[in-house]
Amino acid sequence: MTIANSTSTDDLGSAAQRDRRKRILDATYDLATAGGFDAVQMRAVAEQADVALGTLYRYFPSKIHLLVSALGRQFEETATRLNEREIPGDTQADRVLYVLKRMARGMQGDPKLTEALTRAFMFADSSVANEIHVVGMSMTSIVTHAMHGGVPVEGSITDRDVAVARVLGDVWLSALVAWVTGRSTAAETAAHMDTAIHLILRD
Amino acid sequence: MTIANSTSTDDLGSAAQRDRRKRILDATYDLATAGGFDAVQMRAVAEQADVALGTLYRYFPSKIHLLVSALGRQFEETATRLNEREIPGDTQADRVLYVLKRMARGMQGDPKLTEALTRAFMFADSSVANEIHVVGMSMTSIVTHAMHGGVPVEGSITDRDVAVARVLGDVWLSALVAWVTGRSTAAETAAHMDTAIHLILRD
DNA sequence: AACAAAACTGGAACGTGTTTCTAATTATGC
DNA sequence: GCATAATTAGAAACACGTTCCAGTTTTGTT
């Protein structure tokens, strides 16, 4: 009733599906931004996306799939945006710190959204493996890109780089969870990341 | 019916409360061991602990509090047990690896229980901060103790030691979550811990 | 254009975490 | 020994994720 952005009356076939999927993810995003994990209620998402509840479940088999997909979409955008820029900083540590702090600041600017997406990520089981993988790859890509200062040379990324990126990703995630769940402040989170990065990337 | 370990017939006042609390945690533990997070249903816990549902909620304000408390009890026991032993290994890396792999093996031996407790831990918000803190302290204590090879000298633990322990704890937790949620195998988890420890503790 | 298959809607219904309420029961102070 | 306050039991009710279904609309094929 309220929504509907049909460009005109002639809705085409698969375009309608693409619309639905997008509408659903947008609604998820909006609800999460406004009220966090608890506010992303499947009935509310369905209503705001203007689809039936059963349809929502046809597109996303659970609330967790839905939220992790939304997180994946956001991470992919961030990775794409960051990976086409040069990263400032003289050392690997500086550059990685720059990027991760930037991401953290971005997420802290939308605390409710971050809470919703992080919660979902942490709660996901193996049935969400595909969606999780998208997020993990984006994260690794962001960190390795930062380590190399923005050089897009593919061959220069070693196994060790990936290992470092994974470990830093783990620490980052734990720190994020601690912040999201109110167990540490933004400053503590930043300090912790700083410590971890210098412990691991001391060259 | 089945439980009850009342030492004698003269249940004293607060002793009855202690009994209830213990019965509840035991029931939680049993149900989690048998069926994981989903099997720890509040009605089932109440029934098995032989208390009313309202009483259960008087002792633990939510399922998450309940499970994290159970996790805390287990971690404290593990920390106590480990901290009164000498840790084998010539280097810090060896000793930490020994301890963390040992813990991981222990938890992998009870996959359902581990799943339940880890899920709860990851889902906890700030209202569970106290219970979480118990777990975090135990973890840090275990790692720093391992770093020092079992020497109980308090003053020898530096800020850096604690920082290292925290970072390793983060990685360990992330690896555990990945394993619990079926996104990585036990072998991958072990390899990942190995990598992280050698990245951070290379002396 | 006619038909079959797939997708969608609207809504009911179920399971489990959580809340709430009232009547027993138990503990505590005088 | 009794009055009063806490605690507990028992059960109903609510909230939200999820499932299911009957009927309708859309899509694709011939």
Side-chain angles (χ1 to χ4, degrees):
Chain A
M1 308 290 181
T2 355
I3 323 262
N5 62 341
S6 51
T7 50
S8 56
T9 38
D10 56 341
D11 287 352
L12 288 182
S14 57
Q17 286 193 11
R18 228 176 300 124
D19 274 358
R20 280 206 176 77
R21 191 185 164 83
K22 183 175 185 314
R23 284 209 310 270
I24 290 172
L25 284 176
D26 288 344
T28 303
Y29 192 93
D30 289 348
L31 287 168
T33 301
F37 188 88
D38 289 341
V40 181
Q41 299 181 0
M42 299 306 268
R43 291 174 179 85
V45 171
E47 186 181 2
Q48 181 158 338
D50 204 22
V51 299
L53 190 55
T55 306
L56 171 54
Y57 273 92
R58 251 185 62 80
Y59 280 81
F60 299 96
S62 77
K63 174 172 174 173
I64 300 296
H65 284 81
L66 175 59
L67 280 167
V68 175
S69 295
L71 178 62
R73 192 176 69 163
Q74 200 186 237
F75 258 60
E76 276 186 321
E77 282 170 12
T78 303
T80 303
R81 192 157 14 90
L82 278 176
N83 285 357
E84 60 196 11
R85 304 207 302 110
E86 293 250 336
I87 307 298
D90 293 335
T91 66
Q92 285 196 341
D94 284 348
R95 290 190 296 269
V96 172
L97 198 53
Y98 172 84
V99 166
L100 291 189
K101 277 197 174 164
R102 203 160 201 284
M103 286 188 66
R105 211 174 324 124
M107 301 189 84
Q108 283 161 358
D110 260 328
K112 298 293 184 77
L113 175 66
T114 303
E115 185 248 7
L117 301 184
T118 309
R119 277 257 165 88
F121 189 85
M122 294 282 80
F123 213 65
D125 67 5
S126 60
S127 74
V128 203
N130 291 337
E131 289 83 351
I132 296 274
H133 192 242
V134 169
V135 176
M137 292 306 285
S138 298
M139 188 72 206
T140 303
S141 159
I142 288 170
V143 174
T144 53
H145 178 260
M147 288 170 68
H148 286 268
V151 198
V153 185
E154 288 226 356
S156 63
I157 294 177
T158 66
D159 286 351
R160 183 180 175 284
D161 290 346
V162 174
V164 167
R166 288 229 183 99
V167 171
L168 286 177
D170 285 351
V171 179
W172 191 76
L173 193 60
S174 291
L176 194 64
V177 170
W179 174 73
V180 155
T181 57
R183 310 197 308 263
S184 73
T185 66
E188 285 162 357
T189 305
H192 190 191
M193 283 312 302
D194 203 303
T195 303
I197 289 172
H198 284 105
L199 270 176
I200 296 173
L201 287 175
R202 45 182 163 170
D203 310 321
Chain B
M1 305 289 182
T2 354
I3 323 243
N5 61 343
S6 49
T7 52
S8 56
T9 39
D10 55 342
D11 286 354
L12 289 183
S14 56
Q17 287 192 7
R18 230 175 298 124
D19 274 359
R20 280 206 175 75
R21 191 186 164 82
K22 183 175 184 315
R23 286 209 309 271
I24 291 172
L25 284 177
D26 288 345
T28 303
Y29 191 92
D30 290 349
L31 287 168
T33 302
F37 187 88
D38 289 343
V40 182
Q41 299 181 1
M42 301 305 268
R43 290 173 179 84
V45 171
E47 186 180 3
Q48 182 159 339
D50 204 23
V51 300
L53 189 56
T55 306
L56 171 54
Y57 272 92
R58 251 185 61 82
Y59 281 81
F60 299 94
S62 78
K63 172 171 175 173
I64 300 296
H65 283 81
L66 175 59
L67 281 167
V68 175
S69 296
L71 179 62
R73 193 176 69 163
Q74 199 187 237
F75 258 60
E76 275 185 320
E77 282 170 11
T78 303
T80 304
R81 192 155 15 88
L82 279 175
N83 285 357
E84 61 195 12
R85 304 208 301 111
E86 293 250 338
I87 308 297
D90 293 335
T91 65
Q92 285 196 340
D94 284 347
R95 289 190 295 269
V96 172
L97 198 53
Y98 172 84
V99 166
L100 292 188
K101 277 197 174 165
R102 203 158 201 284
M103 287 188 65
R105 210 173 325 122
M107 302 189 82
Q108 283 160 359
D110 259 329
K112 298 294 183 75
L113 176 65
T114 302
E115 185 247 9
L117 301 184
T118 308
R119 277 258 164 88
F121 187 85
M122 294 281 82
F123 212 64
D125 66 6
S126 61
S127 75
V128 204
N130 292 337
E131 289 84 349
I132 296 272
H133 191 242
V134 170
V135 177
M137 292 307 284
S138 298
M139 189 72 205
T140 304
S141 158
I142 289 170
V143 175
T144 54
H145 178 261
M147 288 170 68
H148 285 268
V151 199
V153 186
E154 289 225 357
S156 62
I157 294 177
T158 65
D159 285 351
R160 182 180 175 283
D161 291 345
V162 173
V164 167
R166 288 227 184 101
V167 170
L168 286 177
D170 285 351
V171 178
W172 190 77
L173 194 59
S174 291
L176 193 65
V177 170
W179 174 73
V180 156
T181 56
R183 309 198 308 262
S184 72
T185 67
E188 285 163 355
T189 305
H192 189 180
M193 283 312 303
D194 204 304
T195 303
I197 288 173
H198 284 105
L199 270 177
I200 295 173
L201 287 176
R202 44 182 163 169
D203 311 321

